Amino acid sequence: MFPFSVKSVLHVLALTLLLAPSGVFSSLASPVLAGPIGKNCTIGSIHNGTATGRNISIAGVSTYLAEPPAAHIGKDKAKKVILFFSDVFGAFAINNELLQDYFATQGYTVLGPDYFFGDPIGLHVSPDLEPFDPNFDLNAWVAKSKKQADAAVPAWIDGVKKRYGPKAKYTAVGYCFGAPYSMETSATDQVLAGAFAHPGLLTEDHFRKLKKPFLLSCAESDSSFPLESRRRAEDILAEDHATYHVQIFSGTTHGFAVRGNLTNENERWAKEESARSVIGWFDRFTD
Ligand SMILES: *[C@@H]1O[C@H](CO)[C@@H](O)[C@H](O)[C@H]1NC(C)=O
Ligand SMILES: *[C@@H]1O[C@H](CO)[C@@H](O)[C@H](O)[C@H]1NC(C)=O
Ligand SMILES: *[C@@H]1O[C@H](CO)[C@@H](O)[C@H](O)[C@H]1NC(C)=O
Ligand SMILES: *[C@@H]1O[C@H](CO)[C@@H](O)[C@H](O)[C@H]1NC(C)=O
């Protein structure tokens, strides 16, 4: 095992390699704004509750589906669909299931692809964040997962659009590992609005290329998206006259919107307010 400082250097190297070789968003010239997946992306509380969604397959990807209560489904109303790009624990981890279920109660059909293909990080890292498996190589897992997810997401989005049709109103939200997908989707006409919370794996280009209204739900102290990066992102959005909203929660750290400690009043409020804000933002552009 490397001491953590050496590991961090390796993470930065891994991120450089991850963001460098492929895709439209890989411009080598674009500085990194949200850092690599590290230990802070894997810590936090596990929530208790009973998930009410189901497991369906879209474009060969197992997908968590949470549907709104009947009262929300008016005959003449266009369906509202959230593409839910999860953190490293995956769309089928209980915290993410409960979050998707909440979005569904607010009138949205929510779809979370398992872009880890049955190998979420929870299989390797315990809730208190010590590796179960001493041989677990986080960087290798991230590199593998990013490659798989990059390859799967475009066809998955096409599959979602086939299933719900051109009249449905699509939005996208991403947490940590999922943030690039919400931003990349929001750089196209595939959605009406986007959002992220405590992002990872982003460069300045992600902000420059944004086309759709975007909500940034941020921790005060975020090792992946530190203050300087957040301010740089704000500068870019303002310069480009983007439509955006930035919210910051005091006393929170990376992961708060998914893995906050719900017995801590501040963390509970921040987690719930972040989710409410995502819905408020999406309602604004889909109602
Ligand atoms: C979740 O449930 C377990 C078992 O019932 C309990 O020990 C734990 O304290 C609960 N956690 C929270 C955050 O409520
Ligand atoms: C979802 O269903 C697929 C196909 O039956 C299965 O392979 C996968 O393990 C299921 N995922 C979960 C999290 O239940
Ligand atoms: C994890 O987050 C805490 C609180 O924000 C920070 O003090 C610490 O340096 C972070 N660790 C790493 C490895 O980034
Ligand atoms: C969660 O917060 C409560 C209240 O602040 C604290 O007693 C508890 O130790 C925290 N749990 C974890 C896992 O941090």
Side-chain angles (χ1 to χ4, degrees):
M1 272 283 153
F2 289 109
F4 213 81
S5 55
V6 177
K7 259 188 167 169
S8 301
V9 172
L10 293 177
H11 289 160
V12 172
L13 285 174
L15 179 71
T16 310
L17 292 174
L18 271 175
L19 291 177
S22 67
V24 223
F25 291 90
S26 60
S27 163
L28 278 174
S30 186
V32 169
L33 283 191
I37 304 300
K39 191 170 178 174
N40 278 347
C41 306
T42 71
I43 60 176
S45 297
I46 295 188
H47 301 158
N48 285 341
T50 307
T52 55
R54 330 188 249 133
N55 174 1
I56 63 168
S57 177
I58 296 181
V61 185
S62 297
T63 300
Y64 187 79
L65 165 64
E67 292 185 299
H72 280 284
I73 311 173
K75 240 191 170 168
D76 46 349
K77 276 198 211 157
K79 217 179 232 298
K80 304 208 277 182
V81 177
I82 294 179
L83 312 179
F84 181 94
F85 296 112
S86 76
D87 67 1
V88 288
F89 289 89
F92 288 90
I94 185 68
N95 292 24
N96 286 316
E97 290 181 328
L98 296 173
L99 185 51
Q100 291 172 91
D101 290 351
Y102 164 72
F103 290 150
T105 66
Q106 303 305 300
Y108 290 79
T109 296
V110 188
L111 295 157
D114 172 23
Y115 41 34
F116 303 115
F117 294 90
D119 186 28
I121 208 152
L123 294 186
H124 307 284
V125 176
S126 76
D128 65 5
L129 296 245
E130 292 312 313
F132 282 150
D133 174 357
N135 299 315
F136 178 57
D137 180 343
L138 178 64
N139 297 325
W141 180 89
V142 172
K144 175 203 79 163
S145 299
K146 180 76 179 136
K147 212 169 145 196
Q148 277 179 336
D150 284 352
V153 164
W156 181 81
I157 293 176
D158 288 348
V160 168
K161 294 232 150 177
K162 269 202 199 99
R163 187 180 165 105
Y164 293 98
K167 288 201 178 122
K169 296 183 171 181
Y170 298 92
T171 51
V173 63
Y175 295 85
C176 183
F177 181 95
Y181 304 110
S182 67
M183 290 212 89
E184 289 163 20
T185 310
S186 300
T188 71
D189 291 321
Q190 289 174 311
V191 295
L192 294 167
F196 70 43
H198 44 79
L201 306 173
L202 299 176
T203 68
E204 288 194 359
D205 272 359
H206 282 100
F207 295 88
R208 287 257 176 246
K209 293 185 178 177
L210 213 49
K211 265 175 91 170
K212 299 296 154 143
F214 206 85
L215 170 72
L216 295 75
S217 189
C218 304
E220 180 181 50
S221 166
D222 189 332
S223 49
S224 294
F225 191 50
L227 185 59
E228 317 80 71
S229 294
R230 193 176 81 222
R231 291 193 172 149
R232 178 73 191 126
E234 289 173 15
D235 287 346
I236 292 171
L237 294 171
E239 265 167 46
D240 292 350
H241 305 290
T243 300
Y244 64 97
H245 178 64
V246 182
Q247 63 177 190
I248 301 141
F249 294 96
S250 63
T252 60
T253 57
H254 186 80
F256 77 97
V258 178
R259 304 184 305 277
N261 175 351
L262 299 183
T263 58
N264 175 305
E265 188 277 331
N266 188 68
E267 289 192 31
R268 172 185 278 273
W269 185 82
K271 183 214 175 277
E272 292 178 352
E273 187 60 24
S274 172
R276 272 193 293 273
S277 302
V278 168
I279 290 303
W281 187 250
F282 289 171
D283 281 351
R284 199 182 148 197
F285 301 102
T286 57
D287 276 344

